[in-house]
Amino acid sequence: MPRPLRERTRGRPRAFDEAKFLDGAIALFSGAGFSGVGISDLTAATGLAVGSVYKAYQDKEGVFAKALERYILLREAHLAALFAQAPNARARIEALLRLYIDLSQGKDGRLGCLVVAGIADLDQVGRAADMLCTQLLRRRKMLAELITDGQRDGSIAIGADPRATAELLLAMLQGMRVVGKGGMLTECSEALIAQALKLLD
């Protein structure tokens, strides 16, 4: 359940949906980057008063950290649901590729990725810097484990080096989000996926 935020105003206090506020913050930071968003932008876009923002999050770094936490949580839940439908490790990697392609095209692609936006301003995001680096390391570890699992279940070639292949796939996935923000990711999705999966042969 979202934690309600309450703004001190004259008369009865108003309750705010934290999930809705953070979703607005995610969109702003993803589109403009950490350095391109100010507290005034957050309040204008979400309707939350300046005093309430500072009371709940202390500062812009605090807002970004909570927004990033929610962003990662939602992405991981979506990914877990996709993986649950995949018959083997190779199919899970394919599902991951398809997800990133979808996220990197159209409106979502042009909006951008909060992780990429944060990495671009890594020296400014405060405590969220550790969260960003941890997320990238976690994704690389997950990819390496999927490759190892695939070698066990027979869906991935034994000769594929798990660590090196995971690093290549990670660079490809994050690169999609960068290219997608410019609206230039290829429309040949199936060809891109087929080429990427050759890394596993």
Side-chain angles (χ1 to χ4, degrees):
M1 292 289 293
R3 176 169 60 87
L5 299 178
R6 295 193 177 276
E7 180 186 10
R8 291 183 178 178
T9 58
R10 293 180 179 177
R12 296 178 62 186
R14 295 172 57 195
F16 290 88
D17 185 336
E18 182 173 36
K20 184 176 179 180
F21 171 76
L22 292 176
D23 287 343
I26 287 169
L28 282 174
F29 285 126
S30 296
F34 180 83
S35 60
V37 175
I39 293 293
S40 61
D41 299 311
L42 291 164
T43 58
T46 64
L48 192 61
V50 172
S52 295
V53 173
Y54 283 116
K55 181 178 179 181
Y57 305 105
Q58 296 185 327
D59 52 25
K60 186 174 75 166
E61 291 177 8
V63 177
F64 184 85
K66 287 298 290 185
L68 179 63
E69 183 180 295
R70 176 169 171 78
Y71 182 83
I72 291 171
L73 184 66
L74 292 173
R75 285 283 182 262
E76 294 304 307
H78 187 185
L79 193 55
L82 292 177
F83 282 6
Q85 302 173 32
N88 54 44
R90 186 187 188 94
R92 291 187 183 98
I93 292 175
E94 182 176 345
L96 183 61
L97 288 163
R98 289 186 184 281
L99 173 62
Y100 270 72
I101 288 173
D102 288 344
L103 292 172
S104 301
Q105 292 179 327
K107 182 180 177 181
D108 285 340
R110 287 185 173 85
L111 176 62
C113 169
L114 189 60
V115 172
V116 171
I119 290 293
D121 287 328
L122 194 63
D123 60 337
Q124 301 177 48
V125 297
R127 61 184 179 277
D130 288 340
M131 295 169 60
L132 288 162
C133 294
T134 296
Q135 177 61 13
L136 291 179
L137 290 172
R138 186 183 295 126
R139 181 68 77 235
R140 186 179 69 185
K141 182 174 183 287
M142 182 200 75
L143 286 164
E145 289 174 348
L146 283 173
I147 293 165
T148 300
D149 290 345
Q151 291 171 332
R152 292 195 190 102
D153 67 32
S155 62
I156 294 175
I158 295 296
D161 180 88
R163 174 66 182 261
T165 306
E167 289 182 345
L168 279 171
L169 287 170
L170 178 64
M172 183 183 300
L173 293 170
Q174 295 306 131
M176 284 182 194
R177 302 309 312 270
V178 174
V179 174
K181 189 169 178 63
M184 296 181 289
L185 188 67
T186 177
E187 295 181 0
C188 303
S189 300
E190 294 305 315
L192 192 158
I193 291 169
Q195 194 66 31
L197 290 176
K198 287 182 180 180
L199 293 170
L200 308 178
D201 296 331

